[in-house]
Every structure is written in structure tokens, then in C-alpha cells.
């Protein structure tokens, strides 16, 4: 167990990528592999998909409730990730996980990830999941079957822009072979957790 009260820093693992790159798949694997991690549940204003549960997948908020939280300064970062749809990392969620002596694992879009890195520069590990190409990304999104054709095009346009930011993150996890990508992510996160466990208290 990590004794967060004794830590100077509260560590954070950030996984980011264009939608469809394999973030969720990698995040699920990391959560299973490392009991030190806990998923940071974001708030958002999009409606729940089938099988999504409020408080487990997202805190599903009305636009008014989300706005209220912005006014209160409740977010570590927030973004309009898609047209009219807001997503944000709640400070209270990060603090809940730190209080439980665990490390928050956040799955967020690229702009949000850059903001978190700015806000928590010395305590974060960031992974950028890179798809082999935009064509492969399109295929994966179609296969996942979660998008309408409008949201598919919106996601692909956004992806082309987001790929330019890959070099800003600590590790680029190239997700061609899933097996290799999972192994790479595991090595990076394992080393980070080990570093956090051994951190000297000043
Ligand atoms: P994201 O969370 O980044 O949107 P997902 O993890 O949902 O991405 O992955 C998008 C789709 O691609 C899912 O259907 C997933 O099973 C599939 N997928 C992920 N990684 C690979 C891979 N290396 N090869 C083939 N399909 C993959
Ligand atoms: P989806 O609607 O497919 O669940 O998620 C859309 C995108 O929003 C994904 O890229 C996801 O990583 C991102 N996202 C989820 N939570 C947050 C958050 O708290 N902040 C930001 N900036 N992006 C988020």
C-alpha cells in the first residue's frame, strides 16, 4: 500500500489518445494488473450509453449542474471534448482516491491531459496511445459500433489534430499489436509505481 499521507507528492497516471486508439482497453488492463491504481470517474454532460452506470463510468451531469461545478472551481480540468459535450476531472475524485492511498488513473482527451500535466507536473506519468494510422482508427471505431456517422467524422477530424501532441507525453504507446501495447504500458506504469513507493520523504 502507498502511504500517501507520508508522500510529498500525490501521484497521478494519465492515459490519453484520440478516441478509438485503445485507451479504454489499456486502462482496463492496467486497473486489473495494478491494485495501486483506481479509475478516476469523470463528470460529463453526454447521455449514458447502454450498460453505462452513473458513478461508475461517469458522473452524468446536466449542462446546468456541470456549469455550477465550473463556477465552484470543482474541476482539475474540463473541456468541451465534442460539440456541446463537456467532460471534466473532479478534484474531489482525485482526492477521494489519494485519501484511499491509491493512485488515480485518468482517461482523458489530449487537451485535458495537457492541462493536467501543467497542473501536476512533478507527480504525473502520462501515456499517449498512438493508433497505427487514421485508417486503422476509422476501422476500429466502425467495428466498435458506438458512433453515428457524424460523430465518427468528428472523432477522426479531432484525432488528426491530437496526434500532433504525442511528443508532449512521457511515453508513446504504439497500439498496433495489442499485446505489445499492453506490455509497454505495464512496464511504464510498473516503473512509475515503484518510483513512487521508494520516494524519499524530504
Ligand atoms: P478508446 O478508449 O481510445 O476510444 P477502445 O479501447 O474503446 O479505444 O478501442 C477501440 C476499439 O478498438 C475497441 O473495439 C477495441 O476492442 C479495439 N482495439 C483496441 N486495441 C486494438 C488493437 N491493438 N488491435 C485491434 N483492435 C483494437
Ligand atoms: P466517450 O464519450 O467516448 O466516453 O469519451 C470521449 C472522450 O472524452 C474520450 O477521449 C475520453 O478520454 C474523454 N474524457 C473522458 N473524461 C474526460 C475528462 O474528465 N476530461 C477530459 N478533458 N476528457 C475526458
Amino acid at each position: 500500500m502507498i502511504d500517501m499521507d507520508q508522500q510529498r507528492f500525490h501521484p497521478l497516471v494519465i492515459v490519453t489518445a484520440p478516441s478509438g486508439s485503445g485507451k479504454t482497453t489499456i486502462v482496463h488492463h492496467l486497473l486489473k494488473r495494478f491494485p495501486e491504481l483506481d479509475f478516476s470517474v469523470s463528470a460529463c454532460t453526454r447521455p449514458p450509453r447502454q450498460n453505462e452506470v452513473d458513478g461508475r463510468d461517469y458522473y452524468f451531469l446536466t449542462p446546468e449542474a456541470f456549469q455550477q461545478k465550473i463556477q465552484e472551481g470543482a474541476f482539475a480540468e474540463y473541456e468541451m471534448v465534442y460539440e456541446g459535450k463537456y467532460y471534466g476531472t473532479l478534484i474531489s475524485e482525485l482526492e477521494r482516491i489519494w485519501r484511499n492511498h491509491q493512485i488515480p488513473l485518468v482517461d482523458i482527451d489530449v487537451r485535458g491531459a495537457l492541462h493536467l500535466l501543467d497542473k501536476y507536473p512533478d507527480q504525473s506519468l502520462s501515456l499517449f496511445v498512438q493508433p497505427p494510422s487514421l485508417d486503422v482508427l476509422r476501422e476500429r471505431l466502425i467495428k466498435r459500433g458506438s458512433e453515428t456517422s457524424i460523430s465518427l467524422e468528428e472523432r477522426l477530424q479531432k484525432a488528426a489534430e491530437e496526434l500532433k501532441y504525442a511528443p508532449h507525453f512521457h511515453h508513446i504507446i504504439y497500439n498496433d499489436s495489442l499485446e505489445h501495447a499492453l506490455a509497454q504500458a505495464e512496464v511504464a506504469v510498473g516503473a512509475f509505481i515503484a518510483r513512487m513507493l521508494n520516494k524519499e520523504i524530504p
Side-chain angles (χ1 to χ4, degrees), residues 14 112-121 124-126 168-170:
I14 302 166
L114 291 168
H115 283 141
L116 278 192
L117 272 180
D118 257 5
K119 193 174 164 83
Y120 303 109
S124 301
L125 174 77
S126 57
H168 291 258
F169 298 98
H170 294 110

Side-chain angles (χ1 to χ4, degrees), residues 80-97:
M80 187 171 76
V81 175
Y82 298 111
E83 193 52 43
K85 300 286 181 278
Y86 285 85
Y87 295 73
T89 307
L90 290 162
I91 295 170
S92 58
E93 180 70 5
L94 300 179
E95 289 179 345
R96 176 187 70 75
I97 296 170

Side-chain angles (χ1 to χ4, degrees), residues 15-20 23-24 40-44 46 49 52 58 75 77-82 86-90 106-113 144 146-147 155 158 162:
V15 180
T16 191
S19 180
K23 258 190 332 283
T24 309
S40 165
V41 179
S42 294
C44 78
R46 76 152 168 76
R49 297 184 186 130
E52 283 186 330
Y58 283 106
F75 289 111
E77 64 74 41
Y78 67 91
E79 290 289 334
M80 187 171 76
V81 175
Y82 298 111
Y86 285 85
Y87 295 73
T89 307
L90 290 162
V106 298
D107 165 346
I108 62 175
D109 89 322
V110 174
R111 270 180 311 170
R144 189 171 71 178
S146 55
E147 315 308 321
R155 276 164 201 251
K158 189 169 146 71
E162 288 174 328

Side-chain angles (χ1 to χ4, degrees), residues 142-162:
I142 291 171
K143 223 162 148 190
R144 189 171 71 178
S146 55
E147 315 308 321
T148 62
S149 58
I150 296 170
S151 75
L152 178 66
E153 290 314 318
E154 191 182 4
R155 276 164 201 251
L156 286 168
Q157 259 182 30
K158 189 169 146 71
E161 186 57 31
E162 288 174 328

